[in-house]
Amino acid sequence: DIQMTQSPSSLSASVGDRVTITCRAGQSISSHVNWYQQKPGKAPRLLIYAASTLQSGVPSRFSGSGSGTDFTLTISSLQPEDFATYYCQQSFNTPLYTFGQGTKLEIK
Amino acid sequence: EVQLVESGGDLVQPGGSLRLSCSASEFLFSHYLMTWVRQAPGKGLEWVASINADGGEKNYVDSVKGRFAISRDNAKKSVHLQMKSLRGEDTATYYCARAGSRYSSAVWGNTFYMDVWGKGTTVIVSS
């Protein structure tokens, strides 16, 4: 199994802040990382795939980077609707997937 | 509208069985790998099972192997999760998700991602 470790597990920030969430894979996975946003009571939403490709319809303030074992999701200027939980996921081992444990982004 | 709709969630006793279904619309269902992902109350996402486009390859997370079975009916555009010997730790919202794929220069090949999700169906295992 490929473990995915996210940090931090929670984060407090203000509207307009720049925020970075990190995900580390237990082995090299090239750029096979996806990022999802989930709001309470809702299904996850794909934000970024292949580490850095923005899914259609996702605002450009979201960006992703990394390859190998270390990956980041950055929100350049937080908006009120961005307060949610974020998950990384490896797809290197498709069709077996692993998610990170999640990062809850809260309003400061 | 591209859509997935799950059904079948219920309250079931430990040791019991349940069959979840997911109905797809407005996309070429038979072309896609399909997955089930679950989320226990207050916890994170956990991939549960995958089935390839023609149903010939099935994969499971270790904790459900031998108890859960994924299947699909491409003619009816549906995917199912048969669950037996249910345990308290199977209590969760179960999501059906489509695994899209695209060529990416970042990986010099195809990459996969879950781009369409249903709203989920809730399974509670309790006496």
Side-chain angles (χ1 to χ4, degrees), chain B residues 3-127:
Chain B
Q3 196 172 10
L4 295 169
V5 179
E6 303 94 338
S7 60
D10 204 348
L11 169 64
V12 60
Q13 292 191 340
S17 299
L18 206 58
R19 185 179 192 239
L20 305 184
S21 296
C22 171
S23 178
S25 55
E26 301 301 325
F27 67 93
L28 290 173
F29 179 78
S30 61
H31 287 201
Y32 288 89
L33 182 148
M34 297 297 296
T35 68
W36 286 95
V37 174
R38 68 184 177 183
Q39 185 169 37
K43 302 297 184 182
L45 302 172
E46 180 183 39
W47 167 76
V48 174
S50 296
I51 186 167
N52 72 340
D54 67 10
E57 181 180 348
K58 305 170 186 180
N59 291 276
Y60 304 91
V61 68
D62 285 348
S63 60
V64 309
K65 283 181 182 176
R67 299 189 300 122
F68 288 13
I70 189 170
S71 62
R72 67 190 294 160
D73 184 334
N74 284 343
K76 295 183 177 180
K77 298 184 179 181
S78 60
V79 59
H80 309 280
L81 189 67
Q82 179 69 50
M83 305 185 293
K84 65 179 183 180
S85 303
L86 283 162
R87 307 167 180 166
E89 54 265 38
D90 297 319
T91 294
T93 297
Y94 284 74
Y95 296 101
C96 172
R98 182 180 85 171
S101 68
R102 189 168 294 178
Y103 177 85
S104 170
S105 58
V107 300
W108 293 96
N110 283 345
T111 191
F112 288 80
Y113 42 81
M114 296 174 184
D115 62 345
V116 179
W117 295 70
K119 293 183 177 180
T121 189
T122 300
V123 174
I124 300 173
V125 183
S126 175
S127 55

Side-chain angles (χ1 to χ4, degrees), chain A residues 3-7 22-27 29 69-71 88:
Chain A
Q3 299 302 312
M4 301 294 285
T5 304
Q6 274 181 251
S7 61
T22 298
C23 185
R24 175 164 288 177
Q27 67 179 69
I29 56 172
T69 60
D70 295 320
F71 304 89
C88 62

